[in-house]
Amino acid sequence: MYRSHNCGQLRATHINTEVTLSGWVQKSRDKGFIVWVDLRDRYGITQLVFDEERTSKTLIEQAQNLGREFVIQVKGMVIERASKNPNIPTGDIEILVSELNILNEALLPPFTIEDKTDGGEDIRMKYRYLDIRRNPVKESLIFRHKVTQEVRNYLSKDGFIEVETPYLIKSTPEGARDFVVPSRMNEGQFYALPQSPQTFKQLLMVGGMDKYFQIVKCFRDEDLRADRQPEFTQIDCEMAFIEQEDILNAFEGLTRHLLKEVNGVEVEKFPRMLYDDAMRLYGNDKPDIRFGMAFGELNDVAQHKDFSVFNNAELVVGIAVPGGNSYTRKEIDKLISWVKRPQVGALGMVYTRCNDDGTYKSSVDKFYDQGDLAKWAEVTGAKPGDLICVLSGDKNKVRAQLSALRMELAERLGLRKPNEFAPLWVMDFPLLEWDEDTERYHAMHHPFTSPKPGQLELLKTNPGDVKANAYDLVLNGNEIGGGSIRIHDKETQSLMFDYLGFTPEEAKEQFGFLMDAFQYGAPPHGGLAFGLDRLVAILGGQETIRDFIAFPKNNSGRDVMIDAPAPIDDDQLTELSLKLNLKS
């Protein structure tokens, strides 16, 4: 038996109990005549004591030679700790060691295994197995487990059946590049790793499963960032014989359950916002509604004077920054520089101070009088003491720029509080979006999304105006889930493929199996997929997902720990009928 108890288990009630513990040496303190060692495992830390009055000289010498992260086993008696530590659960006791067994020596770690470590991200990713020993990472992985278990329990109790779908599938265009896998047994042919189990879950509905879910790995070969990985996990769900309202109610219930059970937060309201309103009021389709600063469109009150910057703009739009009048000129200049960064792309920013006495002071006082500026304040909802920030230009670009500024200001003002949760449904996305490069429409979600009822005929005349029967669930400014009511008949699906530029032959080659299945009685169906990595991070109060993934990739899609991806040898290439044509 390596241990009778774990290192977070013992309390004062265990005093005078003989125990066996195993774990890693966190640190030691050597006073010569007495040695203390902190022993750590997943469950906590227990202090060990080696005392020359009660411990053999040989045992003390062994303890003095212990290094950080040595794996050891000890036997001893639980005694009352003379100097108690109220900061840890085991702080009332310590172990008077009678036997020490070194199970494995360890090199000195390249960074300290502490909550606040001296290791940068690159070195910690290279030695991720050591990083996992640190409490923040360990607790994040345990937190992910808790969320995942709650999801499984909730959906299972609600009648959903967990079904696994294949990882080796056919390459289909779904918006991002596929990861492809060569087939040795089928020369010159390739599998693809699934971007989602989309077609399979629809086939499960044709198969009569009625309610399906799966916690599943998905793969997309796309540019990465802090909340995106080439392999990620979805909570994938589908339901038959439902309408949009059924989907929204089902997954509001799951989200409400997770917030209550995981975070202890009761959330009753899930507001709904049209996509067009989200873009108009917040400049993006996943607005953070924990705070205000909604956009005010100023064209009607700003384009009547001789200020060509505004007069020549498609959109003039502003936000009221609460308490922003306290900003110094230097601080405002830094904000202007911030919006002019290439990542944001604004050409400049106009601002207006809302003074406590009801007057206004603006960077464009030359063109606008107090009455004009009062109208700006009215449109943006600015109050005395606020600052109005105004951008102008192309409608789509300027909305994105002001959205970035809004989020940056909210971060600086401490308005994005991680322990507050504000869910939101964003509804009625465009069904199609125009791609300038290919000069044709693409599906905003995927080719299987149905148009809103009654809008099918509009595809023939104004395809860009057709709304999708689609919805995203947003939490604290992050999309945590998205889905739609699917097309479930062959005729409508064929029409959709036509508008996406597929020839009948291409549609049959790519999706013939699905079209064939629809001819055998497909029920009305729809679903939603949560991004588990992002959901867990937000519930855990974080913006980035890496610490909630055991072995994440870096921003280049590399696993620096195992050095992957890596070349394969010539024999493997020959076996797969592949020849490399690398650019020098």
Side-chain angles (χ1 to χ4, degrees), residues 151-261:
V151 168
R152 276 200 165 93
N153 292 340
Y154 182 91
L155 291 175
S156 297
K157 288 178 181 177
D158 198 29
F160 284 82
I161 304 299
E162 186 168 9
V163 183
E164 292 184 4
T165 54
Y167 280 156
L168 296 176
I169 67 168
K170 186 176 185 178
S171 181
T172 58
E174 288 190 43
R177 295 184 187 91
D178 286 328
F179 284 101
V180 295
V181 181
S183 171
R184 178 183 59 82
M185 294 180 290
N186 300 274
E187 187 174 320
Q189 296 186 325
F190 296 82
Y191 298 106
L193 300 179
Q195 296 184 33
S196 79
Q198 181 61 49
T199 53
F200 286 103
K201 63 184 176 184
Q202 291 191 252
L203 292 172
L204 286 170
M205 296 302 100
V206 176
M209 290 305 295
D210 197 70
K211 283 184 170 184
Y212 141 93
F213 86 99
Q214 183 181 190
I215 297 176
V216 59
K217 280 288 185 190
C218 302
F219 307 86
R220 291 180 186 172
D221 186 5
E222 57 187 353
D223 294 336
L224 306 180
R225 58 186 185 220
D227 62 344
R228 181 182 287 167
Q229 289 272 297
E231 52 181 325
F232 56 98
T233 307
Q234 284 186 353
I235 308 167
D236 199 54
C237 307
E238 198 81 1
M239 303 167 69
F241 300 111
I242 47 81
E243 295 178 336
Q244 180 176 276
E245 197 66 28
D246 300 304
I247 298 282
L248 303 189
N249 289 335
F251 296 108
E252 276 185 24
L254 173 58
T255 308
R256 191 177 287 114
H257 173 80
L258 292 175
L259 287 168
K260 181 179 179 181
E261 295 301 320

Side-chain angles (χ1 to χ4, degrees), residues 272-495:
R272 301 180 183 185
M273 184 180 295
L274 297 178
Y275 168 87
D276 289 345
D277 290 338
M279 299 303 294
R280 177 176 58 84
L281 294 171
Y282 299 101
N284 69 68
D285 58 5
K286 47 183 184 297
D288 191 337
I289 58 171
R290 285 176 294 179
F291 56 94
M293 288 197 282
F295 293 4
E297 296 190 351
L298 300 170
N299 290 42
D300 291 345
V301 295
Q303 289 185 323
H304 63 293
K305 293 294 180 73
D306 190 24
F307 185 50
S308 60
V309 172
F310 284 177
N311 292 342
N312 296 331
E314 183 182 8
L315 178 65
V316 183
V317 62
I319 55 174
V321 184
N325 193 29
S326 63
Y327 287 1
T328 64
R329 175 61 188 269
K330 186 176 181 180
E331 288 173 319
I332 294 176
D333 286 343
K334 285 183 178 180
L335 274 184
I336 295 172
S337 297
W338 190 90
V339 300
K340 292 169 74 173
R341 294 158 64 237
Q343 300 94 317
V344 181
L347 297 177
M349 184 184 84
V350 169
Y351 67 89
T352 297
R353 294 181 180 275
C354 303
N355 298 319
D356 292 337
D357 63 3
T359 62
Y360 302 93
K361 179 64 179 174
S362 177
S363 57
V364 288
D365 279 341
K366 178 180 177 181
F367 301 97
Y368 297 94
D369 58 29
Q370 292 291 299
D372 295 322
L373 299 177
K375 292 177 181 176
W376 293 16
E378 181 182 353
V379 172
T380 60
K383 298 178 177 58
D386 291 350
L387 179 75
I388 303 172
C389 297
V390 182
L391 301 180
S392 62
D394 175 80
K395 180 175 66 175
N396 292 332
K397 288 182 180 178
V398 79
R399 282 175 172 169
Q401 292 160 0
L402 192 59
S403 175
L405 176 61
R406 175 179 180 266
M407 296 298 281
E408 175 67 15
L409 286 166
E411 197 70 43
R412 296 184 185 189
L413 293 167
L415 300 177
R416 303 191 69 207
K417 298 176 182 176
N419 58 348
E420 292 182 6
F421 298 95
L424 170 73
W425 287 108
V426 178
M427 324 277 293
D428 294 5
F429 285 77
L431 182 68
L432 306 171
E433 56 184 346
W434 182 256
D435 186 284
E436 296 288 348
D437 295 331
T438 60
E439 294 187 340
R440 64 184 180 91
Y441 283 105
H442 291 264
M444 179 169 269
H445 281 74
H446 52 65
F448 317 108
T449 299
S450 68
K452 293 288 286 187
Q455 295 201 2
L456 190 59
E457 289 300 313
L458 195 58
L459 271 174
K460 300 174 183 177
T461 55
N462 295 294
D465 293 340
V466 179
K467 299 299 183 185
N469 207 344
Y471 34 81
D472 279 358
L473 182 54
V474 176
L475 185 61
N476 295 359
N478 294 272
E479 178 199 333
I480 60 168
S484 65
I485 301 300
R486 322 301 187 192
I487 297 169
H488 68 276
D489 64 278
K490 183 178 179 179
E491 290 73 22
T492 305
Q493 189 64 74
S494 296
L495 185 62

Side-chain angles (χ1 to χ4, degrees), residues 86-157:
N87 297 318
I88 59 174
T90 59
D92 289 342
I93 59 94
E94 59 189 2
I95 309 301
L96 179 62
V97 178
S98 58
E99 185 178 331
L100 167 62
N101 181 23
I102 297 176
L103 302 175
N104 215 332
E105 295 184 355
L107 296 173
L108 185 68
F111 53 88
T112 55
I113 313 298
E114 302 279 358
D115 289 5
K116 293 184 178 179
T117 183
D118 56 357
E121 184 175 38
D122 290 343
I123 193 74
R124 289 189 293 109
M125 289 302 98
K126 184 174 181 179
Y127 297 93
R128 183 62 166 180
Y129 45 85
L130 297 180
D131 199 33
I132 290 172
R133 295 180 189 175
R134 296 173 52 243
N135 282 329
V137 181
K138 176 194 72 178
E139 289 165 3
S140 292
L141 295 180
I142 294 171
F143 184 82
R144 181 187 178 112
H145 162 76
K146 181 178 180 181
V147 173
T148 304
Q149 289 301 103
E150 290 294 340
V151 168
R152 276 200 165 93
N153 292 340
Y154 182 91
L155 291 175
S156 297
K157 288 178 181 177

